[in-house]
Amino acid sequence: MGFNQLNQRYLQVLFMFLLTLFSAFSFASEPLLPAVNLAEDGKIAAQKNQPIAILLLSSRVKSGRVLKEEALLPNLMSGVFDGKVMFREIAVNEAGTVVDFYGEALPRAEYKALFNISSLPALVFVNAEGEPLTTPLFSGAYEFYGFYLKRKLNEAMQALDNPTRFE
């Protein structure tokens, strides 16, 4: 094996190692999953006495994608909310349904009206039955989003009589 081939092989092994390492860290934090069945999510949230934070966005609007990628996901990847808050996402402009908190399939577009949201993107905070715990969090300065997210989650935790607080 020549020197160049050895260097290429070394870079491939290094790349695979870093990819594996990155994957391990990315799975250590709870992801922002698409909402599928909020009734089932509600049962889990009730058992853990935790709020459900639902990101409502339009997948065709840049502000929602940017908020998600530059503000919300970095905060989720920190691991601070793992096991304490359930995060879900509903793209209200996409076809299909999401099972609501009563077990009924509801078109995605209806969730904007259900949560009384007039501006997207918005993060709503609800209990296991889908009732609001605090006012929604809208897009803002991304560098301060984590601060406001923690504040809203503390309000949600207080409404649930859950002693967990985020600093």
Side-chain angles (χ1 to χ4, degrees):
M1 198 181 276
F3 182 74
N4 284 339
Q5 290 174 324
L6 208 62
N7 277 345
Q8 282 182 327
R9 182 67 182 143
Y10 172 78
L11 289 175
Q12 287 174 338
V13 169
L14 181 62
F15 177 76
M16 292 306 292
F17 171 77
L18 291 174
L19 187 62
T20 303
L21 185 64
F22 178 77
S23 295
F25 282 114
S26 67
F27 289 117
S29 298
E30 294 180 9
L32 176 61
L33 297 173
V36 176
N37 188 329
L38 293 173
E40 290 300 317
D41 290 340
K43 289 177 187 175
I44 296 167
Q47 290 172 349
K48 296 180 177 182
N49 190 31
Q50 63 182 208
I52 303 171
I54 305 171
L55 176 63
L56 300 173
L57 75 158
S58 173
S59 59
R60 289 186 285 231
V61 178
K62 183 179 178 183
S63 62
R65 291 189 311 270
V66 173
L67 173 72
K68 178 180 166 183
E69 293 167 7
E70 293 187 19
L72 186 56
L73 288 178
N75 279 283
L76 294 182
M77 296 305 292
S78 74
V80 170
F81 309 113
D82 288 1
K84 299 173 186 133
V85 181
M86 182 180 296
F87 287 89
R88 295 295 182 257
E89 172 185 347
I90 300 175
V92 297
N93 65 308
E94 293 181 2
T97 60
V98 172
V99 174
D100 68 12
F101 290 93
Y102 301 104
E104 301 293 324
L106 190 65
R108 292 173 176 275
E110 294 296 317
Y111 283 91
K112 188 175 171 188
L114 179 72
F115 292 118
N116 197 25
I117 300 297
S118 59
S119 176
L120 295 175
L123 191 61
V124 296
F125 305 89
V126 298
N127 65 13
E129 292 82 34
E131 298 164 353
L133 296 169
T134 185
T135 56
L137 178 60
F138 295 98
S139 184
Y142 299 148
E143 53 273 359
F144 299 113
Y145 195 81
F147 170 80
Y148 292 111
L149 175 60
K150 288 174 183 173
R151 180 187 284 179
K152 288 293 182 183
L153 287 172
N154 286 341
E155 291 172 10
M157 291 294 187
Q158 185 174 0
L160 291 172
D161 289 324
N162 182 322
T164 302
R165 296 296 181 269
F166 303 102
E167 297 190 27

